[in-house]
Amino acid sequence: SGMLHEDLAQLATVVKMDLEIIKLRGKHHVSEVAIINKAILNTNELINKIRKITYSISVDSLEQLGLSEAINGLCAEFSSMSGIACTFKNVTGEEAGPAKLKIDIFRICQEMLIDKLQKHKIKKVLIRLSSKQGKILLAINFYGQGLNTSLHSGPAFTSIEGRVICLNGEILMKSTN
């Protein structure tokens, strides 16, 4: 999945940047601007689909490598894709239990990273897995601007909330500027 992302998503990102430069540099007829804008939108859609494909492939790495290594790989891929530092710490020293639990934890991390990348100006991300009184705690801290808005809304949050409810868990969210 890393090579898929690095090759295709980076090429699509270069095309998008080139289109943005063309749009900004010249005086274009209204119809040309519309074509450039449509190409930029299509390129964004392509990049997002590549992200989804590479993330879906990542579940295989969860089974092969274990939860900690899979989330470390997710962080590395996120950092490579976005240029934003993302680190993971597993202070439990364990692999978090049954396969379904691991998949849900992994998917929550994926969905949060994708959602926040698209909506906010993030400077860094810290994901931390710990345990307290027999409960598993997953903390995903985003540092940056604009994080107070829409923390509890949108399709990604609804999906995450559903996963957390199935795990008999709870969501506590806050932003750090």
Side-chain angles (χ1 to χ4, degrees):
S1 74
M3 289 191 65
L4 176 68
H5 172 263
E6 286 178 23
D7 293 345
L8 297 179
Q10 287 181 4
L11 275 172
T13 301
V14 168
V15 169
K16 178 187 169 201
M17 290 185 331
D18 289 346
L19 289 167
E20 295 280 359
I21 289 169
I22 291 168
K23 181 179 171 182
L24 291 173
R25 284 198 176 159
K27 293 182 181 180
H28 302 284
H29 187 270
V30 174
S31 63
E32 292 171 329
V33 172
I35 292 169
I36 292 170
N37 286 337
K38 178 127 175 86
I40 291 170
L41 287 173
N42 289 338
T43 306
N44 279 334
E45 186 175 336
L46 175 62
I47 292 167
N48 288 332
K49 286 185 180 191
I50 292 169
R51 284 181 187 153
K52 288 178 182 176
I53 290 169
T54 58
Y55 281 147
S56 67
I57 292 170
S58 298
V59 171
D60 292 336
S61 70
L62 176 63
E63 293 173 9
Q64 295 171 359
L65 303 172
L67 182 62
S68 292
E69 286 303 313
I71 295 177
N72 275 320
L74 179 66
C75 283
E77 189 170 340
F78 177 82
S79 294
S80 166
M81 174 174 58
S82 67
I84 299 168
C86 181
T87 56
F88 171 68
K89 293 182 182 178
N90 181 352
V91 296
T92 66
E94 301 172 13
E95 280 298 313
K100 171 139 178 40
L101 175 63
K102 292 176 189 178
I103 291 170
D104 284 335
I105 289 171
F106 185 79
R107 288 290 189 215
I108 289 168
C109 293
Q110 280 183 322
E111 290 165 5
M112 286 295 287
L113 290 173
I114 291 170
D115 183 60
K116 297 303 173 236
L117 177 63
Q118 294 174 355
K119 295 181 181 175
H120 304 287
K121 295 178 181 173
I122 299 168
K123 295 179 183 173
K124 71 177 180 176
V125 181
L126 173 61
I127 301 173
R128 180 181 165 99
L129 187 65
S130 60
S131 61
K132 185 176 183 180
Q133 299 173 347
K135 292 186 179 184
I136 295 171
L137 306 172
L138 174 65
I140 305 174
N141 296 2
F142 294 93
Y143 300 86
Q145 299 174 347
L147 295 170
N148 286 328
T149 59
S150 73
L151 277 175
H152 293 82
S153 64
F157 182 78
T158 302
S159 174
I160 291 165
E161 186 177 40
R163 289 183 191 280
V164 171
I165 288 169
C166 287
L167 295 171
N168 196 26
E170 62 181 283
I171 298 174
L172 303 170
M173 296 180 78
K174 66 178 185 175
S175 67
T176 307
N177 291 329

